[in-house]
Amino acid sequence: MITVVLADDEPLVRMGLGMVLGGSDDIDVIGQAGTGSEAVDLARRLRPDVVVMDIRMPGTDGVAATRQIVAAGLPSRVLVLTTFDLDEYAFAALQAGASGFLLKTSDPDRLVEAIRTIARGDAVVAPRVTRRLLDTFATQLHPAAPVQDPRVGKLTDREREILQQLATGRSNAEIAAQLYLSEYTVKAHVARVLSKLELRDRTQAAIFAIRAGLAD
């Protein structure tokens, strides 16, 4: 059973989300929060698998709440909700450690599948969306000078190459074709890269690569 906490400042939205998720026999909504601070508190106490987090809430917003949940080392993964595609707040939440974002206009089935995907440890940001995110916010991602991070030294040459490919937003299949590797091998390399860099998903890996000066 996947346990979920819903965080949204609009009660009707929480009710609607609860009804959608209630129709799935493998998802259990164990808490609801109306503010970001309440979401953090519930995440600490209930330790859900997934927190479905609204971005714009009074007081502690979804970005700050996401950052606090991730910084606390909680097992909960965050799926942020946004009204606008490529909303700068949604992007900030990804930087803060969210495992993906979804539009509030998405189909109910897509929300359910996104929660299942995140609970498995994957991200819900599709490769093509990653490209759009990186293109849209390129100026924010490029620091004045590359960030020196000792974790880079843990990577093999092949793993660095995989990391550079992740920064382009390519899928595993596309990386496999580009580097003449099997898709299974690429998947294994991606897992090792994320583990060595202590990152949660490929979107964070893409951001890391650009900030470290390993990719344009």
Side-chain angles (χ1 to χ4, degrees):
M1 184 67 70
I2 301 170
T3 54
V4 174
V5 162
L6 302 176
D8 195 292
D9 62 330
E10 297 184 22
L12 287 178
V13 172
R14 295 200 304 272
M15 181 183 299
L17 292 173
M19 292 176 63
V20 168
L21 300 180
S24 302
D25 56 10
D26 60 340
I27 296 177
D28 183 19
V29 177
I30 59 175
Q32 296 189 21
T35 66
S37 58
E38 289 178 3
V40 174
D41 181 59
L42 286 179
R44 291 179 184 276
R45 290 194 290 109
L46 303 179
R47 303 176 75 84
D49 297 310
V50 178
V51 178
V52 179
M53 184 83 71
D54 184 25
I55 286 293
R56 298 176 180 178
M57 292 184 286
T60 302
D61 63 17
V63 174
T66 297
R67 187 176 297 110
Q68 291 177 35
I69 290 172
V70 173
L74 299 175
S76 306
R77 298 172 69 84
V78 179
L79 169 64
V80 299
L81 293 178
T82 178
T83 304
F84 303 104
D85 197 3
L86 299 183
D87 186 327
E88 68 272 18
Y89 293 106
F91 181 76
L94 291 175
Q95 289 184 301
S99 296
F101 75 90
L102 201 64
L103 296 177
K104 286 187 176 180
T105 55
S106 299
D107 293 335
D109 289 344
R110 188 176 181 189
L111 171 63
V112 171
E113 187 55 38
I115 289 174
R116 290 171 178 158
T117 299
I118 285 181
R120 290 195 300 265
D122 294 326
V124 297
V125 183
R128 67 177 183 277
V129 177
T130 301
R131 293 192 191 101
R132 290 165 57 196
L133 281 167
L134 298 179
D135 287 343
T136 301
F137 296 97
T139 56
Q140 296 182 28
L141 287 172
H142 280 286
V147 177
Q148 301 300 317
D149 194 308
R151 289 175 291 180
V152 174
K154 300 178 182 179
L155 302 178
T156 65
D157 290 342
R158 175 62 82 184
E159 289 165 352
R160 281 195 180 213
E161 196 171 17
I162 293 292
L163 178 60
Q164 290 169 337
Q165 291 293 317
L166 290 177
T168 68
R170 291 191 174 100
S171 65
N172 287 350
E174 291 170 330
I175 294 174
Q178 183 75 14
L179 301 182
Y180 302 102
L181 299 172
S182 71
E183 193 170 344
Y184 176 83
T185 299
V186 171
K187 184 177 181 179
H189 280 310
V190 170
R192 284 195 291 271
V193 167
L194 295 180
S195 177
K196 288 183 178 181
L197 298 181
E198 302 171 21
L199 302 174
R200 301 187 105 185
D201 53 57
R202 58 200 304 131
T203 301
Q204 285 193 326
I207 294 171
F208 180 97
I210 293 175
R211 289 192 181 280
L214 299 177
D216 294 330

